[in-house]
Amino acid sequence: AALNPARVIGPLAVFFCGTEVWWIYILGQIAAAMGACCIFAFVSGLGPLNPMVSVRMFDLRWPEAIWVWIMGSPPKRLRMTDKDNIFDMILRKGLKNTSD
């Protein structure tokens, strides 16, 4: 058994051995990565990039919230400059709420 998928895929590519089991190692790596992401999300909580949070926090539409989640930058309609990022939006939102 190999924990490193290269130890299975390498001989498979060179010597064509292990043709019955190579997919187990690939699926194992993908499942482990997805599990690690789920655990990280559970431990770290929902941050401002999470679409469910950003829709409420910044009054975004769902496509904009997905854009913020993937790219980490605010939609063009909410940017003050081309270099604005999510932290600038959070600061402006916080300052706007304290001034109200």
Side-chain angles (χ1 to χ4, degrees):
L3 294 176
N4 183 354
R7 292 185 179 258
V8 173
I9 296 171
L12 173 69
V14 176
F15 302 113
F16 303 106
C17 59
T19 56
E20 317 73 51
V21 296
W22 68 269
W23 60 273
I24 295 171
Y25 294 96
I26 301 299
L27 287 180
Q29 296 294 319
I30 293 170
M34 290 173 62
C37 289
C38 290
I39 290 171
F40 177 77
F42 177 75
V43 171
S44 65
L46 299 177
L49 293 179
N50 185 294
M52 292 184 291
V53 174
S54 62
V55 163
R56 288 190 317 256
M57 183 184 281
F58 303 118
D59 300 322
L60 299 177
R61 296 182 301 267
W62 270 104
E64 292 175 328
I66 299 298
W67 174 264
V68 169
W69 183 44
I70 293 172
M71 301 302 291
S73 63
K76 289 184 180 182
R77 70 178 178 91
L78 296 176
R79 293 184 203 163
M80 294 222 151
T81 67
D82 286 339
K83 296 182 180 184
D84 274 359
N85 60 29
I86 191 69
F87 298 112
D88 297 325
M89 283 180 59
I90 293 169
L91 283 174
R92 279 197 297 272
K93 183 74 172 177
L95 293 174
K96 188 186 296 183
N97 286 345
T98 57
S99 64
D100 290 342

